[in-house]
Structures are given as structure tokens and as C-alpha cells.
């Protein structure tokens, strides 16, 4: 959430940044009025409190002298009632301001291009080239099903749409990718591995900006069902490991004088993908559950640009070691979703007979396999 004082001091800039990212700056139309009402109410309440304190001292003096205190008591009670009214008004304005601020997105840096859709993104660099085949190439959902390593129909039977079951070498490939990424980041890039919970509370999601704006994209574990043993049932499934990892040091002061703290985390992630229906409905894109190796750095503000670049390069290294072509778009950095990397391997390493060559970097994690061929369902390979 943007700081109230920052928005107050930089209101035109905030409105400009909102327009730059395609948001409607009219969300701030009431900000100045609410802020003024809040500050005026607080100031007047403090003034009345000071007057009441002075009356209290005078009341004590009159009491000791045996004088009549009726008038001063009535005045004090009147000031108390006025103060309570002003404090209530300040609290109301404060709540409205908070609701307004939590709805604001992060402000883009000056280097981020303006745009309203992904088509306005700027390609920073392109590495490698998509392979060309002398046979009709297939999409990953056909390759995986034909090989017997992916099963969308059985996943739909047991869980519904937007799930997949991995079998045999397909399941091993998923695990191999996770282990490869974790080993690379911990052994070569200096990250400490962390395994966080995959359920978090509302405060954690608020802290990373998922709540309240993206509540419809989340899975909430409510207490409406028959199992209500948990009294404290404020639990959500994580949409990304960024949520629990970023909140590890919430409400703490950490020492970063010796450099950043770098974590990598392998978790399952869960997203409702609200609003995405009709897009990427085939295959492993926009699944309700997927696995990801996430990268998170805690660093000082003045070092954030350098560390962001390093984090992005660490993620790029994964693709380069796997010899996968990729484009880097301007200003983003993250770990890599296992599923998206997985499907890229299937589509880029496919062969004429439908088999999949295994990238050399993954072969040590694949129990000696160098090629994924057609699997026999439910039988060890």
C-alpha cells in the first residue's frame, strides 16, 4: 500500500503514474477532500482535548476550594462529546482513505513503457531462435498425451478443468526441473532454499498486494463445509511463493548492511484464473495448480535496481542452461513456473517420432534417460 504522506505530497505524480499504467486516476478524486477532513478533525479534536485538560486542572482547584463546579463540569462534558464526534469523523475519513489507498496499484518506474495491454510491452532482448522442424510440429498437449506422460481427462475427472496428471517420465521431468533450478540457484547464485507453507492468512496476502484487489483470483479455505475444527480459519492457498517468503520478515527490522538476503522456494501455487476463461484453454497454461521455483531478495532501496537485474539474470540462466530460446521483456523478474518451462521443453525438443530429447542440463536428474518415449501407463520405466 502506498504511504499516505507520499500520496499527499505527490498527488499529481501519482495520478500521472496511474495513467501511465492504464489505470483511472479518478480513483483519487476524493483523496484531497478526505485527507483534509481527516486532518481538520484530528487537529480540532486535539485542540478540544487541550481545552478539556485545562478545565480539568481548574476543576481540581475549584473542588479544593469548595467552590461550585457545575458549570465547569457541563463545559467539560460538552467538550468531551464534541471531541468524540470529531474523533469519529476522523476515523471514518481514515477508513475511507485506507480503502482508497489499498486499491492503488504500485507505481511504475520511469523506464517502464506506457501501455494498456501486453502488446505495448517492449522486448529488451532475444536469446536464441525457435527451432525449425522438417516435420509437422505438435503442441505440448498433443505431445504429452500421445507419449502417455500428460493426462488432462483423468485430471478433469478427479479435480475438474485446468488440472493435469503427470505420469512416468513426465512426472520425473517435472521433479527434475525443480531440482535443477534449486541446485543452480543455491550452489551457483547464492540463494538460501526455503520451504514455506502453501496456506497463508489474509494479512500476508494484503502485505504483498493480492488483497483486496485480486481476491477473485485466489482460493479461500473458508469454514462453510462440514470440517470446522479450526477456530482460526483465515487461510488462503498461495498464488505464488512470493507471498509467504516476502512475509517472512513482516513487522521486523532486518540488517542488510552485509548485503541482500536471497531466498529460493519451490512450492505448489494455486490460482482461480478468474477472467481468463476462453484464453489458453488447451494444455498447461493457466492451470489452477502449478509448481514454481520462486526467487525473492530483501535489499535496501538504493540497491533494488541492481538486485532486480541480478535476480532477472539468475532466472534467465535457467533458460540458457536448458538451451531454450526466450525473449526478455522490459522490467520484470521472477523465478520460473515449472509447467511453462516443461511445455517449452516438450515443444522445442520434440522429434519426428513424437519423442522428446532431454536437455543435457537435465539428464543427471532423469535417472539416465536422454529421451522420453511413449510410456506404458502405471508401469515403472
Amino acid at each position: 500500500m502506498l504511504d499516505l504522506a507520499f500520496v499527499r505530497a505527490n498527488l499529481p505524480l501519482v495520478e500521472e503514474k496511474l495513467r501511465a499504467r492504464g489505470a483511472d486516476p479518478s480513483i483519487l478524486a476524493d483523496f484531497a477532500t478526505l485527507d483534509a477532513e481527516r486532518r481538520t478533525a484530528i487537529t480540532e479534536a486535539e485542540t478540544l482535548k487541550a481545552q478539556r485538560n485545562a478545565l480539568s486542572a481548574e476543576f481540581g482547584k475549584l473542588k479544593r476550594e469548595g467552590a461550585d463546579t457545575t458549570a465547569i463540569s457541563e463545559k467539560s462534558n460538552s467538550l468531551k462529546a464534541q471531541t468524540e464526534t470529531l474523533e469519529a469523523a476522523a476515523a471514518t475519513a481514515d477508513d475511507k482513505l485506507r480503502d482508497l489507498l489499498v486499491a492503488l496499484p504500485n507505481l511504475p518506474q520511469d523506464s517502464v513503457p506506457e501501455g494498456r495491454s501486453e502488446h505495448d510491452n517492449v522486448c529488451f532482448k532475444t536469446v536464441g531462435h525457435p527451432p525449425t522442424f522438417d516435420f509437422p510440429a505438435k503442441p505440448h498437449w498433443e505431445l504429452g498425451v500421445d507419449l502417455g506422460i500428460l493426462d488432462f481427462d483423468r485430471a478433469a475427472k478427479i479435480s475438474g478443468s485446468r488440472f493435469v496428471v503427470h505420469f512416468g517420465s513426465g512426472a520425473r521431468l517435472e521433479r527434475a526441473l525443480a531440482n535443477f533450478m534449486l541446485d543452480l540457484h543455491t550452489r551457483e547464485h547464492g540463494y538460501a532454499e526455503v520451504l514455506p507453507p502453501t496456506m497463508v492468512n489474509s494479512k500476508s496476502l494484503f502485505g504483498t498486494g493480492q488483497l483486496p484487489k485480486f481476491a477473485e483470483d485466489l482460493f479461500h479455505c473458508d469454514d462453510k463445509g462440514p470440517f470446522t475444527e479450526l477456530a482460526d480459519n483465515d487461510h488462503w492457498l498461495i498464488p505464488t511463493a512470493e507471498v509467504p517468503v516476502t512475509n517472512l520478515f513482516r513487522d521486523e527490522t532486518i540488517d542488510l548492511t552485509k548485503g541482500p538476503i536471497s531466498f529460493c522456494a519451490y512450492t505448489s501455487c494455486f490460482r482461480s484464473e478468474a477472467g481468463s476463461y476462453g484464453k489458453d484453454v488447451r494444455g498447461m497454461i493457466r492451470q489452477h495448480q502449478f509448481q514454481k521455483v520462486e526467487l525473492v531478495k530483501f535489499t535496501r532501496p538504493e540497491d533494488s535496481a541492481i538486485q532486480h537485474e541480478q535476480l532477472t539474470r539468475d532466472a534467465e540462466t535457467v533458460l540458457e542452461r536448458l538451451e531454450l530460446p526466450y525473449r526478455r521483456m522490459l522490467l520484470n523478474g521472477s523465478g520460473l513456473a515449472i509447467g511453462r518451462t516443461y511445455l517449452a521443453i516438450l515443444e522445442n525438443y520434440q522429434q519426428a517420432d513424437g519423442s522428446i530429447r532431454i536437455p543435457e542440463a537435465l539428464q543427471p536428474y532423469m535417472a539416465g534417460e536422454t529421451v522420453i518415449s511413449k510410456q506404458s501407463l502405471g508401469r515403472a520405466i
Side-chain angles (χ1 to χ4, degrees):
M1 184 174 75
L2 295 180
D3 180 67
L4 171 63
F6 173 84
V7 177
R8 178 190 300 136
N10 300 278
L11 188 56
L13 173 65
V14 174
E15 292 174 336
E16 177 187 341
K17 291 294 187 181
L18 289 177
R19 279 190 290 268
R21 64 173 297 159
D24 186 358
S26 66
I27 190 175
L28 289 170
D30 295 332
F31 176 83
T33 300
L34 289 171
D35 188 38
E37 290 176 357
R38 172 182 173 274
R39 297 173 76 180
T40 299
I42 291 174
T43 300
E44 291 181 358
E46 292 300 321
T47 300
L48 294 181
K49 283 182 181 179
Q51 294 177 11
R52 191 161 179 254
N53 289 337
L55 287 177
S56 179
E58 185 178 351
F59 177 88
K61 178 182 177 182
L62 293 174
K63 193 74 172 177
R64 289 191 297 273
E65 295 174 351
D68 184 13
T69 59
T70 301
I72 201 170
S73 293
E74 291 176 350
K75 179 64 173 177
S76 180
N77 290 335
S78 175
L79 290 175
K80 179 182 179 182
Q82 294 177 59
T83 300
E84 290 174 346
T85 299
L86 288 168
E87 289 177 337
T92 298
D94 193 62
D95 288 342
K96 291 180 179 179
L97 279 172
R98 182 177 177 82
D99 290 343
L100 187 155
L101 291 174
V102 299
L104 293 177
N106 287 329
L107 305 182
Q109 292 184 335
D110 293 337
S111 61
V112 177
E114 295 186 20
R116 293 182 176 274
S117 73
E118 61 187 74
H119 302 295
D120 297 310
N121 288 337
V122 174
C123 183
F124 182 77
K125 69 176 181 179
T126 299
V127 177
H129 301 281
T132 57
F133 302 103
D134 57 5
F135 57 88
K138 295 181 179 179
H140 70 275
W141 58 84
E142 290 183 12
L143 291 163
V145 171
D146 290 345
L147 289 169
I149 61 174
L150 297 179
D151 196 321
F152 299 97
D153 292 338
R154 288 187 172 91
K157 178 175 64 176
I158 61 178
S159 299
S161 63
R162 296 184 183 266
F163 290 92
V164 64
V165 176
H166 298 263
F167 286 108
S169 295
R172 184 179 291 138
L173 177 61
E174 175 98 3
R175 176 160 50 94
L177 279 166
N179 287 332
F180 162 68
M181 293 181 189
L182 289 170
D183 286 349
L184 174 65
H185 295 317
T186 57
R187 295 175 182 177
E188 299 186 33
H189 296 158
Y191 290 81
E193 185 175 350
V194 58
L195 181 62
T198 54
M199 296 175 71
V200 294
N201 55 32
S202 297
K203 191 172 183 179
S204 296
L205 286 161
F206 178 83
T208 51
Q210 274 77 20
L211 288 180
K213 292 190 288 290
F214 305 118
E216 65 175 6
D217 289 323
L218 305 172
F219 285 109
H220 185 214
C221 305
D222 60 29
D223 57 359
K224 304 298 184 183
F227 303 105
T228 56
E229 291 88 348
L230 292 175
D232 178 17
N233 201 19
D234 176 26
H235 294 117
W236 303 72
L237 294 176
I238 63 169
T240 167
E242 290 177 12
V243 176
V245 176
T246 302
N247 278 275
L248 286 174
F249 299 123
R250 188 181 72 220
D251 301 325
E252 296 182 41
T253 300
I254 55 177
D255 183 6
L256 295 172
T257 57
K258 297 181 180 179
I261 297 174
S262 304
F263 285 126
C264 64
Y266 170 60
T267 66
S268 292
C269 304
F270 306 88
R271 297 182 185 178
S272 71
E273 293 295 346
S276 69
Y277 295 98
K279 298 190 300 182
D280 301 319
V281 295
R282 301 291 300 275
M284 293 171 59
I285 300 293
R286 302 189 185 279
Q287 296 274 285
H288 288 316
Q289 176 185 335
F290 60 95
Q291 284 61 246
K292 190 177 184 184
V293 172
E294 188 59 81
L295 303 177
V296 173
K297 284 178 175 283
F298 295 85
T299 188
R300 298 180 301 178
E302 58 267 31
D303 299 328
S304 62
I306 293 174
Q307 291 303 320
H308 180 267
E309 173 62 25
Q310 184 59 60
L311 183 149
T312 305
R313 279 297 305 139
D314 293 340
E316 288 182 276
T317 302
V318 172
L319 299 174
E320 291 165 5
R321 295 284 179 90
L322 295 173
E323 300 180 75
L324 290 170
Y326 69 91
R327 292 181 302 159
R328 174 173 167 179
M329 311 308 285
L330 186 62
L331 197 57
N332 193 14
S334 181
L336 292 175
I338 303 296
R340 292 186 178 229
T341 311
Y342 181 114
L343 69 86
I345 290 174
L346 264 57
E347 295 185 354
N348 283 271
Y349 281 87
Q350 61 180 294
Q351 302 187 104
D353 63 356
S355 63
I356 309 296
R357 289 187 299 112
I358 297 172
E360 186 176 346
L362 288 184
Q363 291 177 12
Y365 299 91
M366 289 294 293
E369 284 185 271
T370 59
V371 175
I372 297 177
S373 302
K374 190 171 180 63
Q375 310 287 289
S376 178
L377 184 64
R379 292 176 175 84
I381 301 168

